[in-house]
Amino acid sequence: MDLLDAQSLLVDVLNELSSQFQKVPGSAIFLRYVKSSYQNDPVRSAVELFLFLFAVRYLLAPKYSTQKKSYVKLTDEEIDELVEEWTPEPLVVKQSTFDRAENEKRPVLVGPTGPRSRLAGGRTITNVASYNFYNLVANEDLKEKAIQTLRTYGVGPCGPPGFYGTQDVHMRTEADIASHLGTSACIIYAQAFSTISSVIPAFSKRGDIIVADKAVNYAIRKGIQISRSTVRWYEHNDMDDLQRVLDGVVKEQGKKPLTRRFIVTEGLFENIGDMVDLPKTVDLKRRYKFRLILDETWSYGVLGRTGAGVTEHQNVDVAEVDMVVGSLAGPICAGGGFCAGSSEIVEHQRLSAAAYTFSAALPAMLATTASEVLAMLETNGDMLLQVRQNIKTMWAQLDPRSDWVHCTSAIENPIMILVLKQEVVAHRRLDMTAQEQLLQEMVDECLANGVLITRLKSMPRAINAAPRETGWELRPGLKVCLTCGLTKKETEKAGVVIRHAITKIMNKKR
């Protein structure tokens, strides 16, 4: 077949196809549409025809996996054999002899945990082991408000805030906290621990940078871990080291794509008790263009003229702190937690914070209690003054007068953390376990003399810390919590009992 025959055959085929196509109902309309729409542009028509055929081919194509199957398929017999050999790890770590002995001697309180509590055996003791700083447990007005709210709203909303869990009392509490702090907005959570551990991953993601104090509490560490961000640790409360780390991060990220960068620290440190240098931290945050997340779990309701926290205490504009996170369950004696900041910061969490989105809302009576306590702090300055006087009274009995322990807490902190002096630890060659055993004996001796204190528990080391960064380690210590429910004389007496118990145990262990 020569070229002319081929061309003749092709023309005949096209004419036949055209003839058959014209017999199809609606073909004339289709051709008229194509000519009017595409203005006889054959290239455009051909491209769109190709895309149409590709879409049909894609939809009709069989399914396939993009994952490479790099595993070995096992037979049923091999699977059964592996199942029989597998031993699950225990849900709870096996208790040591020391832990078992501590649990057997653990005191059981009956009734409210007030400044004078009753043990299960009937004995009344002085309780300086609870966070009842303002003796709110015994406040009858708060109890009556809580009962009224319970009768009106029930026990709990039984739904997440974003669905049907938000009630007017929640919105009122958010407004009260924002007004107290001086921020434009606030969001409340149902649990204090999950607040900071949800706020951090709501903003910081994989590839972002977090610079954190090595002594931050366990809730912050869990939030950092969940975020999967790159973490840089700086020495506890060391502003020079913080500047060094920030400078290193800026230089390291100089030629890389822009990422979100955060500084995470606490107002009053849960594990040590001392206070952050907020003005210096804010200055470094501005200089290196980082965002600041401040956990005020233990400083909100304690520091400042009205208990508004470390920003009020150190005269720092709260607008300089991007996120203020706090607890309503500790000094406030209610429940839940909050995050305050700009409206954009707050609204972002309503859809992105796991603990807010997937947890039932805070019970209405706890929200009401929080609002009432905030009103009391703003109008009744005597509450704060009495606690601070008792702190000074207890300090006078313990820190300067004891040869064995010293207090690492700030003088304004109602939680006094007492650790063994370095020279005592070095002279007696006490490791962590030996220190914990000595401290537990001190707790037991205090209880035998009618004063209940507790012990600072250990916590994991810094996450993803390099060997050179693991120099900081939580030191075992005693924890003494002051309250305005005790008079100055009762506080002095409790301090004397604690000091004598420490001396007795240390002298016995020579």
Side-chain angles (χ1 to χ4, degrees):
M1 180 182 295
D2 57 12
L3 182 59
L4 291 176
D5 293 337
Q7 288 178 346
S8 178
L9 179 62
L10 180 59
V11 170
D12 292 340
V13 171
L14 291 176
N15 289 333
E16 181 64 25
L17 288 175
S18 176
S19 176
Q20 295 297 326
F21 179 73
Q22 290 176 2
K23 294 179 181 179
V24 176
S27 58
I29 299 174
F30 175 76
L31 289 174
R32 190 165 58 251
Y33 167 77
V34 171
K35 290 179 180 180
S36 62
S37 300
Y38 299 97
Q39 301 177 359
N40 294 324
D41 186 354
V43 176
R44 181 175 178 180
S45 301
V47 170
E48 293 204 359
L49 177 62
F50 171 76
L51 292 176
F52 172 75
L53 294 176
F54 176 79
V56 172
R57 170 68 178 83
Y58 181 79
L59 293 174
L60 297 179
K63 294 182 179 180
Y64 63 93
S65 175
T66 58
Q67 307 262 342
K68 291 184 178 180
K69 295 183 179 180
S70 58
Y71 56 87
V72 178
K73 189 173 182 179
L74 302 177
T75 64
D76 293 341
E77 291 77 10
E78 290 173 327
I79 294 174
D80 292 338
E81 184 179 350
L82 289 173
V83 170
E84 290 177 2
E85 293 177 354
W86 178 69
T87 303
E89 294 183 0
L91 295 176
V92 180
V93 179
K94 186 177 180 181
Q95 285 188 336
S96 64
T97 304
F98 173 67
D99 292 333
R100 195 177 301 110
E102 180 187 358
N103 288 333
E104 289 174 356
K105 294 185 292 184
R106 192 181 304 276
V108 178
L109 300 181
V110 178
T113 56
R116 283 167 291 276
S117 302
R118 189 161 60 91
L119 298 178
R123 188 160 63 103
T124 301
I125 47 92
T126 300
N127 184 0
V128 285
S130 69
Y131 304 129
N132 184 30
F133 305 143
Y134 305 116
N135 197 24
L136 298 173
V137 172
N139 191 296
E140 294 299 327
D141 292 336
L142 285 178
K143 291 180 183 178
E144 185 59 32
K145 286 279 187 180
I147 292 172
Q148 292 175 5
T149 306
L150 178 64
R151 288 173 175 163
T152 303
Y153 294 90
V155 177
C158 300
F163 191 27
Y164 55 84
T166 298
Q167 298 169 318
D168 56 349
V169 289
H170 298 125
M171 300 170 70
R172 191 180 309 125
T173 301
E174 290 178 346
D176 290 342
I177 297 171
S179 175
H180 189 212
L181 283 169
T183 60
S184 58
C186 175
I187 181 174
I188 59 174
Y189 290 75
Q191 188 187 29
F193 182 92
S194 63
T195 302
I196 186 66
S197 58
S198 292
V199 170
I200 292 175
F203 292 94
S204 185
K205 310 293 182 182
R206 188 191 297 273
D208 296 334
I209 308 293
I210 292 178
V211 176
D213 191 297
K214 285 186 177 181
V216 292
N217 59 53
Y218 189 62
I220 292 178
R221 292 176 183 274
K222 296 308 292 182
I224 293 173
Q225 183 182 30
I226 294 169
S227 73
R228 299 186 179 183
S229 301
T230 302
V231 188
R232 298 287 183 268
W233 303 93
Y234 66 93
E235 296 298 329
H236 170 60
N237 235 358
D238 188 337
M239 295 297 103
D240 292 334
D241 193 54
L242 172 59
Q243 183 174 355
R244 177 190 65 80
V245 174
L246 295 178
D247 189 62
V249 169
V250 170
K251 290 179 180 178
E252 177 186 332
Q253 299 292 317
K255 296 183 180 180
K256 295 182 180 180
L258 187 63
T259 59
R260 288 168 291 222
R261 303 170 186 177
F262 301 89
I263 299 173
V264 181
T265 187
E266 294 183 72
L268 286 175
F269 286 87
E270 178 179 323
N271 298 311
I272 298 179
D274 55 350
M275 191 186 309
V276 68
D277 185 351
L278 191 57
K280 181 65 174 177
T281 305
V282 168
D283 178 62
L284 292 173
K285 164 242 179 185
R286 284 201 306 258
R287 187 187 311 175
Y288 290 97
K289 296 179 174 59
F290 274 66
R291 295 180 176 93
L292 177 59
I293 301 177
L294 179 65
D295 185 1
E296 293 218 58
T297 296
W298 300 107
S299 54
Y300 184 68
V302 170
L303 298 179
R305 183 180 58 83
T306 64
V310 69
T311 54
E312 183 179 56
H313 180 73
Q314 296 186 357
N315 296 317
V316 175
D317 185 359
V318 72
E320 297 286 354
V321 181
D322 297 276
M323 282 162 266
V324 177
V325 182
S327 169
L328 301 174
I332 307 301
C333 274
F338 68 88
C339 178
S342 66
S343 300
E344 293 79 10
I345 290 288
V346 167
E347 294 306 317
H348 176 77
Q349 295 175 64
R350 298 197 191 278
L351 292 177
S352 301
Y356 185 87
T357 307
F358 301 111
S359 297
L362 184 70
M365 59 181 176
L366 295 181
T368 300
T369 301
S371 292
E372 292 296 323
V373 173
L374 294 182
M376 293 168 62
L377 289 173
E378 291 183 288
T379 58
N380 185 7
D382 292 341
M383 293 170 52
L384 294 157
L385 290 176
Q386 191 171 350
V387 171
R388 290 165 185 170
Q389 289 171 358
N390 284 349
I391 294 172
K392 293 178 181 178
T393 300
M394 185 63 78
W395 266 79
Q397 292 297 323
L398 295 178
D399 189 271
R401 301 182 65 175
S402 176
D403 296 328
W404 310 103
V405 298
H406 76 95
C407 183
T408 61
S409 300
I411 188 64
E412 300 87 353
N413 193 349
I415 303 175
M416 293 182 64
I417 295 178
L418 306 171
V419 300
L420 294 171
K421 293 182 177 180
Q422 288 285 9
E423 54 268 27
V424 174
V425 174
H427 178 70
R428 298 200 178 188
R429 299 178 181 177
L430 299 172
D431 58 15
M432 291 295 178
T433 303
Q435 292 181 56
E436 289 180 348
Q437 291 174 345
L438 278 174
L439 295 170
Q440 185 57 46
E441 290 183 27
M442 296 173 190
V443 171
D444 296 338
E445 180 65 24
C446 287
L447 183 61
N449 288 278
V451 177
L452 178 63
I453 64 174
T454 186
R455 186 165 57 84
L456 188 65
K457 306 294 180 167
S458 61
M459 60 176 288
R461 287 185 176 184
I463 303 164
N464 299 328
R468 64 182 178 82
E469 296 179 314
T470 54
W472 184 87
E473 191 171 9
L474 175 66
R475 295 180 60 188
L478 299 174
K479 187 183 287 187
V480 180
C481 303
L482 282 305
T483 173
C484 66
L486 297 174
T487 64
K488 180 180 180 180
K489 186 175 181 179
E490 290 171 328
T491 303
E492 286 179 347
K493 182 178 178 181
V496 170
V497 170
I498 295 170
R499 188 177 76 249
H500 287 175
I502 293 171
T503 301
K504 178 179 179 181
I505 296 301
M506 295 303 296
N507 287 331
K508 186 173 69 174
K509 294 293 181 177
R510 285 185 181 276

